[in-house]
Amino acid sequence: MLKYPKARVLGVLLAISAATPVIANDEGKALFGQCRACHAIGPDAKTQYGPVLNGVMNRAAMVEEGYSYSDAFKKASEGGLTWDNDTMAAFLAAPMSYISGTKMAYPGVKSDEDIQHIINYLSLFDEHGNQAGLVAETSQERPDEDPKERMLAANFVLPDHGVFHLGRKALNEEVAAWDIDVRPDGTGLPVGSGDALTGMDLYDAQCASCHGDFGEGTGRWPILAGGHDTLTEERPEKTIGSYWPYLSTVFDYVRRAMPFGNARSLSDDDVYAITAYLLYLNDEVDEEFELTSENFTSIALPNEANFIADNRTDEPNRQINVNELCMTDCIATPVEVTQRALVLDVTPDE
Amino acid sequence: MKKPKDTIDSSRRRQLIKTGMAVTGGISASLVVASKANAATPDPLITEIQDWNRYLGDGVDARPYGLPSKFETDAVRRDVAWLTADPKASVNFTPLHKLDGIITPNGLCFERHHGGVAEIAPSSHRLMINGLVNNPLVFTMEDLMRFPRENHLYFLECAANTGMEWRGAQLNGCQFTHGMVHNVMYSGVKLKHVLAEAGLKGNAKWLLPEGADASHMTRSIPIEKGLDDCLIVTHMNGEALRPEQGYPLRLVVPGWEGNMWVKWLRRIEVGDKPWHHREETSKYTDLLEDGTARRFTWEMEVKSVITNPSPQAPINHGRGQTVLTGIAWSGYGRVKRVDVSIDGGRNWTTARLDPHSFSKSLHRFYFDFDWDGRELFLQSRAIDEFGHVQPTKNQLRAARGVNSIYHNNSIQTWHVKNDGVVENVEVS
């Protein structure tokens, strides 16, 4: 079994060749980070605002001497509350409703999976705070370091790149995993294709709940279609068809950030299909249209030419000469109110 | 023993209610008299021993991480629920009317997220540099902490700050009209050092920073800016970045619109052309009256606002000595001068600028005057070191129309009524 310090040294060395050390219950440990504000765990744990959590699983709910539990907690404990997987899961999900009156003013962990990670992490510690079954800890943790196992600083191998010799070379697989951006000239497009009809099914299932059946948007979610020739009107509708300059933006954004709450879940062909359907919703193509990595750059959006460079410096208000600024009697008559915020009454209550 | 404390709390509550009503309901509130010229009876706060004079307070371990006084209930970020569809892709606002000086406390810096707050353990975070470089590299947080470190005070303003006021006075409070700005001392490393480590190729012209959150935020930044004053930061106001500000790593793009300051920064790609991604085409482009739209409007122009008095901070003391204060900033450099008008722009007086003046940072100004109790129309007008002058609303609307959303740096007017209540207005 690897003890921590050796794993750390290995981690540093292997980092150069891009291996990642195996981490034991990293998720649970990370999630427990939010509990650490009030609870300590481990061999050196001391009572903080909340009790020490060493060995908390599978024992009675209230054992720490000297900790001032809430009355509500005392009552629950007297009622025989024991921390097992189910009771702890229910408590962590909504502490203040599970034990009404608890001092643990924390809204609760939302995801069942996260709750289980936390319980698994708590289960690692025995009553003395020693961990059973630990393989390795994350490299940010300061372990009780055994000097024998720390590598001599002089023996570290420095990489040969750069000025400060920091970081390591990125592997091609790593760059490929993150570098998914697409430009208007097609740079970055993956090989693939998808047609508007396929896109319609995907859109109806994954996009319509926010963006509306026809891209009209529900509530204040973005409108994706329509709005042609509205840019000079009092209330412009800025859609893919009426406003966006480049189709690559649609592809790139859907691929990196949609659907909202489940990013990166669509295949490249899915993204081609949804992009094709969005073109169809904007009357740019017919329903048989198939968008591919080959024909992608042949599609131009109608509003591209209406984007201009920043020319704010040409505005009259930017030509005001400081030395000619009026300081007295700048307006002939006393000013009058022309607009009031209170008549609108759209400011949130305090 | 409880009596005096109750008195304090209830009078305080009354004052809060009064303020709240003034903000929301437009009730013609009479002056909330905080002090009187003469006392008829002795003040029990002085003549009686209070709880806090007698009993011990909390010991040193009561607050392992200290928080504001429980009485500071009004100094909180607030949102405007109707602005956006979902709080995970939304914004809240800095309570500017509760702050003084030029530093924004970390817990009050406004938030803008496009996919909620990513919670990333530093040990799980990586920064990749790829694209037009000699050596694509990956850094851990420990690696990044070993570059030469610097400290800089910069404002961050959302391009949409004051965006709701283009058509007219709308939101009644500087928190809502101007609260998408904060000013923080950042600690971190110059981006140019990190790029040099990878080695830029000759055709490197643009950078694409990318966030690790669920929105995978991306923006195109010209390489000249990246090599000039951009920072990769780990700390704000001395402590680690707050999760909502991009912990553990954020990009700082001084003077430029806040959307470019990518949070949870995980990758910077180097390229020869801009990417025209969603946040620089569909959003953060400025639609003009003729239907054309400006893109890549990066610099935040010279701007100021009076934070006190303001709708959320009415004058409660009646006539006499009055402190007017506010903040001013410019994305081009230092603010050199702020003029204040109390009559809606007819006459101007140069305000006292606090000497803590840093480039692309908030500046604090004060104007002390003797209020005669008549209604006031308060305005402030900032001028930066390059002679840029903050425009009026009408000047800006004449140049751009009312549908730009972004980059509204026009002069704000507050109407102080003869009872001290303040309202967001426009004047002729």
Side-chain angles (χ1 to χ4, degrees):
Chain A
M1 191 198 295
L2 285 174
K3 284 269 191 273
Y4 173 76
K6 192 187 276 180
R8 182 162 188 257
V9 171
L10 278 175
V12 170
L13 288 179
L14 291 176
I16 294 162
S17 61
T20 313
V22 177
I23 309 291
N25 194 14
D26 200 23
E27 296 91 344
K29 180 167 190 154
L31 290 161
F32 189 76
Q34 52 191 322
C35 319
R36 280 191 194 280
C38 300
H39 295 283
I41 197 163
D44 301 322
K46 291 196 177 58
T47 305
Q48 301 178 21
Y49 184 75
V52 171
L53 296 180
N54 290 335
V56 67
M57 294 306 297
N58 300 311
R59 65 154 164 79
M62 195 179 82
V63 296
E64 187 175 329
E65 282 179 33
Y67 181 75
S68 166
Y69 289 91
S70 64
D71 290 343
F73 221 93
K74 286 177 192 157
K75 199 184 256 180
S77 183
E78 283 156 19
L81 177 63
T82 301
W83 291 127
D84 58 23
N85 209 79
D86 292 343
T87 54
M88 185 59 87
F91 179 63
L92 289 179
M96 290 179 285
S97 50
Y98 190 74
I99 299 179
S100 176
T102 178
K103 288 160 73 175
M104 186 157 143
Y106 175 78
V109 182
K110 289 192 187 74
S111 134
D112 291 344
E113 203 180 326
D114 287 352
I115 289 173
Q116 201 53 53
H117 282 312
I118 294 170
I119 292 175
N120 291 348
Y121 181 71
L122 292 173
S123 304
L124 288 176
F125 294 84
D126 66 16
E127 58 187 306
H128 308 293
N130 295 316
Q131 293 187 59
L134 178 69
V135 177
E137 291 190 338
T138 67
S139 58
Q140 291 291 311
E141 194 73 4
R142 263 184 189 271
D144 294 325
E145 284 156 346
D146 182 346
K148 285 199 304 263
E149 302 206 50
R150 284 178 61 87
M151 191 173 168
L152 288 173
N155 289 347
F156 277 80
V157 179
L158 295 181
D160 56 7
H161 65 258
V163 180
F164 300 101
H165 310 295
L166 293 170
R168 64 162 172 87
K169 300 235 169 70
L171 300 182
N172 291 337
E173 303 93 296
E174 294 172 324
V175 174
W178 279 4
D179 183 359
I180 61 162
D181 43 77
V182 179
R183 286 194 326 205
D185 62 6
T187 305
L189 275 174
V191 174
S193 63
D195 59 62
L197 279 172
T198 309
M200 180 176 72
D201 291 339
L202 289 162
Y203 179 94
D204 287 348
Q206 307 223 37
C207 318
S209 62
C210 294
H211 295 295
D213 288 342
F214 305 101
E216 76 279 14
T218 65
R220 291 194 64 87
W221 294 105
I223 301 169
L224 301 181
H228 289 281
D229 303 322
T230 63
L231 296 183
T232 53
E233 291 179 2
E234 192 182 335
R235 302 282 170 179
E237 275 193 1
K238 297 193 280 186
T239 72
I240 294 166
S242 73
Y243 190 67
W244 294 34
Y246 303 111
L247 186 63
S248 60
T249 311
V250 180
F251 188 97
D252 176 89
Y253 184 69
V254 172
R255 190 187 188 201
R256 76 172 52 248
M258 289 290 111
F260 191 66
N262 197 15
R264 301 293 303 272
S265 61
L266 298 166
S267 72
D268 291 340
D269 285 347
D270 289 349
V271 179
Y272 275 105
I274 289 170
T275 307
Y277 184 60
L278 289 169
L279 283 173
Y280 169 75
L281 284 179
N282 278 287
D283 301 325
E284 294 298 321
V285 299
D286 59 38
E287 62 186 15
E288 263 89 62
F289 177 73
E290 183 182 45
L291 184 65
T292 70
S293 36
E294 300 301 314
N295 68 10
F296 195 97
T297 54
S298 68
I299 309 285
L301 294 181
N303 196 47
E304 179 181 341
N306 284 324
F307 280 84
I308 59 172
D310 184 359
N311 56 1
R312 286 177 291 172
T313 51
D314 298 337
E315 290 177 345
N317 55 283
R318 291 287 287 266
Q319 319 309 324
I320 301 169
N321 186 339
V322 186
N323 300 318
E324 293 166 10
L325 268 184
C326 177
M327 296 299 283
T328 52
D329 299 327
C330 307
I331 301 170
T333 53
V335 299
E336 285 175 13
V337 174
T338 57
Q339 274 259 359
R340 298 180 54 207
L342 284 181
V343 293
L344 289 174
D345 195 23
V346 291
T347 308
D349 293 345
E350 293 289 299
Chain B
M1 198 59 65
K2 285 267 163 59
K3 274 272 161 55
K5 204 173 178 181
D6 287 346
T7 311
I8 293 285
D9 283 351
S10 65
S11 73
R12 181 183 167 75
R13 204 172 301 126
R14 269 203 305 278
Q15 181 160 340
L16 286 174
I17 289 166
K18 192 134 280 185
T19 309
M21 288 166 88
V23 167
T24 56
I27 186 171
S28 172
S30 59
L31 291 175
V32 178
V33 179
S35 64
K36 294 172 184 166
N38 292 297
T41 53
D43 185 348
L45 286 169
I46 297 169
T47 56
E48 295 181 15
I49 294 166
Q50 308 297 320
D51 283 2
W52 56 88
N53 304 145
R54 187 184 302 267
Y55 301 116
L56 301 178
D58 286 335
V60 289
D61 288 335
R63 299 171 189 88
Y65 192 99
L67 292 171
S69 162
K70 64 182 178 183
F71 301 111
E72 287 298 315
T73 52
D74 190 33
V76 290
R77 298 181 284 216
R78 293 185 176 87
D79 74 342
V80 178
W82 53 263
L83 271 181
T84 51
D86 188 291
K88 290 179 288 300
S90 191
V91 64
N92 61 18
F93 300 85
T94 306
L96 300 175
H97 61 296
K98 299 298 294 183
L99 303 178
D100 204 342
I102 59 171
I103 301 286
T104 314
N106 288 340
L108 295 178
C109 291
F110 82 95
E111 303 170 72
R112 173 71 170 115
H113 317 307
H114 296 75
V117 178
E119 297 267 8
I120 307 172
S123 57
S124 300
H125 194 70
R126 304 285 183 271
L127 175 69
M128 179 187 291
I129 310 288
N130 73 301
L132 299 177
V133 292
N134 297 325
N135 289 307
L137 296 179
V138 171
F139 299 97
T140 63
M141 291 300 295
E142 287 180 348
D143 296 331
L144 293 169
M145 293 299 286
R146 294 170 63 196
F147 284 94
R149 296 182 67 77
E150 299 181 16
N151 299 289
H152 296 273
L153 192 56
Y154 291 126
F155 77 81
L156 182 162
E157 185 184 17
C158 176
N161 198 22
T162 323
M164 287 84 79
E165 304 295 308
W166 276 101
R167 288 169 187 279
Q170 180 161 240
L171 288 164
N172 209 34
C174 67
Q175 178 166 20
F176 304 111
T177 56
H178 289 76
M180 282 194 272
V181 66
H182 57 63
N183 202 52
V184 161
M185 173 74 83
Y186 293 100
S187 309
V189 305
K190 276 269 167 70
L191 175 58
K192 66 179 179 185
H193 291 321
V194 180
L195 293 175
E197 202 69 354
L200 293 173
K201 291 193 169 167
N203 52 344
K205 296 266 187 343
W206 289 83
L207 303 172
L208 185 79
E210 176 181 80
D213 62 320
S215 78
H216 294 72
M217 176 62 65
T218 46
R219 284 295 301 257
S220 302
I221 298 178
I223 194 116
E224 295 79 13
K225 180 68 174 177
L227 296 176
D228 177 17
D229 55 2
C230 286
L231 301 169
I232 293 178
V233 303
T234 55
H235 287 63
M236 57 191 293
N237 291 332
E239 66 177 358
L241 291 166
R242 291 290 172 88
E244 65 269 31
Q245 303 299 340
Y247 179 88
L249 197 66
R250 119 171 280 175
L251 184 65
V252 166
V253 190
W256 289 18
E257 57 188 24
N259 182 256
M260 307 177 84
W261 301 41
V262 172
K263 299 189 281 190
W264 311 289
L265 180 70
R266 77 166 189 186
R267 190 171 71 95
I268 295 173
E269 183 170 343
V270 183
D272 58 354
K273 289 178 194 167
W275 282 261
H276 296 285
H277 276 184
R278 193 243 193 187
E279 307 292 327
E280 52 204 16
T281 54
S282 156
K283 308 287 178 186
Y284 302 97
T285 48
D286 312 343
L287 180 60
L288 303 176
E289 210 161 20
D290 64 0
T292 63
R294 292 181 179 136
R295 72 178 134 206
F296 298 144
T297 46
W298 297 309
E299 296 91 349
M300 300 309 297
E301 291 161 279
V302 66
K303 187 165 173 178
S304 69
V305 66
I306 293 166
T307 55
N308 306 80
S310 64
Q312 295 161 291
I315 303 179
N316 293 329
H317 55 56
R319 69 184 175 88
Q321 160 70 10
T322 300
V323 172
L324 179 156
T325 185
I327 49 175
W329 61 98
S330 167
Y332 295 100
R334 286 180 175 78
V335 171
K336 200 174 176 188
R337 183 178 119 195
V338 178
D339 296 334
V340 168
S341 172
I342 60 172
D343 58 9
R346 294 186 83 194
N347 296 283
W348 296 87
T349 309
T350 297
R352 173 165 59 90
L353 204 54
D354 185 87
H356 294 89
S357 171
F358 302 93
S359 182
K360 302 168 189 176
S361 160
L362 291 193
H363 292 61
R364 171 66 59 177
F365 63 87
Y366 297 97
F367 176 65
D368 307 289
F369 69 106
D370 185 1
W371 182 33
D372 60 11
R374 284 186 288 189
E375 70 172 4
L376 306 171
F377 293 97
L378 305 180
Q379 296 185 342
S380 63
R381 172 176 73 189
I383 299 150
D384 74 15
E385 61 182 313
F386 301 103
H388 300 120
V389 180
Q390 185 178 5
T392 66
K393 275 190 162 185
N394 285 336
Q395 283 171 337
L396 210 57
R397 283 194 284 239
R400 303 180 189 175
V402 294
N403 281 320
S404 273
I405 300 177
Y406 307 103
H407 294 285
N408 182 349
N409 66 320
S410 59
I411 291 173
Q412 172 67 45
T413 308
W414 304 127
H415 179 198
V416 181
K417 295 163 198 180
N418 56 15
D419 59 2
V421 166
V422 183
E423 186 183 2
N424 175 12
V425 300
E426 288 193 9
V427 291
S428 54

